[in-house]
Amino acid sequence: MYIAVVVAIVGQALFLGQLSLLLYAAVIGVIMVAFARWFEEPTLLERFGDEYAKYRQAVPGWWPRMRIRRRK
Amino acid sequence: MTEHFRLAKLAVRSSELLSGGRLGAAHGWRMAYAHTYDWTTPGGVIEFIADNTWGLPNAVVGSLFATLNLWNGVKVEVSRASGSLLEAGRLGPKRGHADVARQGQSHWTCVGPSRGGRLEFRMERKGQLLAAAGTVIFFGLAPGVVAGLIRWWLTGWRITNPIPVWGPMRVLGAALTVGAAIVLISAFARFVMQASVHLHRSPRLGIW
């Protein structure tokens, strides 16, 4: 979701030809990554512990999955 | 006679709106600023920024919601200071509301722990439902504000050409925007569905 927000801003910057919006996208991106890294992840790890650690190993995190996961 | 009644009703409604506005403003202010931030760590600074960019629109919506509820005659009772916001409104089931109906108040809001067995239980579920609704609003609103409203506020809809031939980049930009919107909407839809499943499946909500 964080990446989609940044991509939505970059897309509009290219569509409108307003390159200053790329700077805004970068600022928003830095804020969101920093929020996830220094606030969200430590908070979730503290609250859910092992369960969250396992979840992190199971998902690619920042990289979107290209294939849709099939249910067994 | 009828006219007098209407005027009196309007006066009551206006005072409700005023108190709702005051309550909402206090709520928004507290949401944004009364939180204690730890300025010595990057986490604390980031938390402040996140609260004031993503949290503030949410507080505004919450304030409007509170105002609207008071306008519609939902009563606020601040009898005990601690506890979570519980609500038993007209959306709630009719059974179990006997003690409330006896007092002639069909719907009210209670701030603080309440008594009354099943009624309390139902009110707690209502509170959880409200919390879920608030989170859904947050999930839908925050990306819209960051990628939509603030983006628009920065440059509006002015279209320019940074270099003479910009057409292909425009197409790429449109594709990226549409793709990102699809991802955001599907994430939002998935969240709404999972939230409702959680509400229905939770053992504490078994009799819903």
Side-chain angles (χ1 to χ4, degrees):
Chain A
M1 206 182 89
Y2 291 152
I3 290 185
V5 169
V6 173
V7 169
I9 300 169
V10 170
Q12 289 177 90
L14 294 181
F15 178 74
L16 298 171
Q18 297 281 357
L19 296 188
S20 59
L21 285 178
L22 292 177
L23 188 70
Y24 171 61
V27 170
I28 291 294
V30 166
I31 290 173
M32 290 195 302
V33 170
F35 178 73
R37 173 73 185 80
W38 284 296
F39 179 74
E40 215 169 58
E41 286 177 9
T43 309
L44 287 172
L45 202 62
E46 196 179 317
R47 193 166 161 197
F48 297 106
D50 205 30
E51 205 181 334
Y52 180 62
K54 274 183 192 154
Y55 168 76
R56 286 184 67 176
Q57 282 181 343
V59 298
W62 289 102
W63 301 103
R65 265 194 294 250
M66 284 302 150
R67 282 183 302 120
I68 293 168
R69 192 172 40 168
R70 285 175 213 283
R71 291 218 177 113
K72 282 175 188 169
Chain B
M1 184 66 184
T2 322
E3 197 58 32
H4 277 127
F5 179 69
R6 271 197 200 136
L7 276 174
K9 205 172 164 186
L10 191 70
V12 170
R13 281 288 156 96
S14 306
S15 68
E16 275 170 4
L17 191 69
L18 271 176
S19 62
R22 277 200 300 269
L23 197 76
H27 167 72
W29 178 260
R30 197 183 157 152
M31 275 280 290
Y33 293 103
H35 191 98
T36 38
Y37 301 98
D38 182 8
W39 296 102
T40 54
T41 61
V45 178
I46 293 162
E47 207 183 333
F48 171 79
I49 294 169
D51 272 3
N52 285 278
T53 50
W54 289 57
L56 210 56
N58 196 26
V60 170
V61 172
S63 308
L64 286 175
F65 187 64
T67 307
L68 209 66
N69 265 325
L70 285 166
W71 176 265
N72 281 326
V74 175
K75 300 280 182 291
V76 174
E77 191 205 330
V78 202
S79 55
R80 299 168 193 89
S82 66
S84 55
L85 183 74
L86 303 166
E87 200 259 353
R90 57 176 61 147
L91 293 170
K94 292 283 172 251
R95 284 171 304 162
H97 278 207
D99 38 350
V100 182
R102 232 188 353 255
Q103 293 164 22
Q105 295 172 332
S106 58
H107 36 301
W108 59 325
T109 300
C110 171
V111 181
S114 62
R115 294 182 192 135
R118 289 180 72 79
L119 176 66
E120 184 183 355
F121 186 67
R122 284 177 193 283
M123 287 169 76
E124 191 179 332
R125 284 185 305 160
K126 186 61 71 181
Q128 286 182 347
L129 199 68
L130 274 182
T135 317
V136 164
I137 291 169
F138 172 79
F139 260 74
L141 202 73
V145 167
V146 174
L149 196 65
I150 299 178
R151 205 292 308 149
W152 168 79
W153 176 68
L154 283 172
T155 64
W157 295 113
R158 264 174 304 131
I159 294 181
T160 54
N161 292 320
I163 53 167
V165 184
W166 189 253
M169 293 305 269
R170 226 184 283 295
V171 175
L172 177 68
L176 283 176
T177 309
V178 171
I182 290 171
V183 169
L184 284 173
I185 290 167
S186 66
F188 175 62
R190 203 169 58 177
F191 178 81
V192 172
M193 284 191 298
Q194 283 181 355
S196 68
V197 165
H198 175 74
L199 272 172
H200 284 283
R201 283 197 187 155
S202 167
R204 297 192 64 184
L205 312 174
I207 57 166
W208 179 254

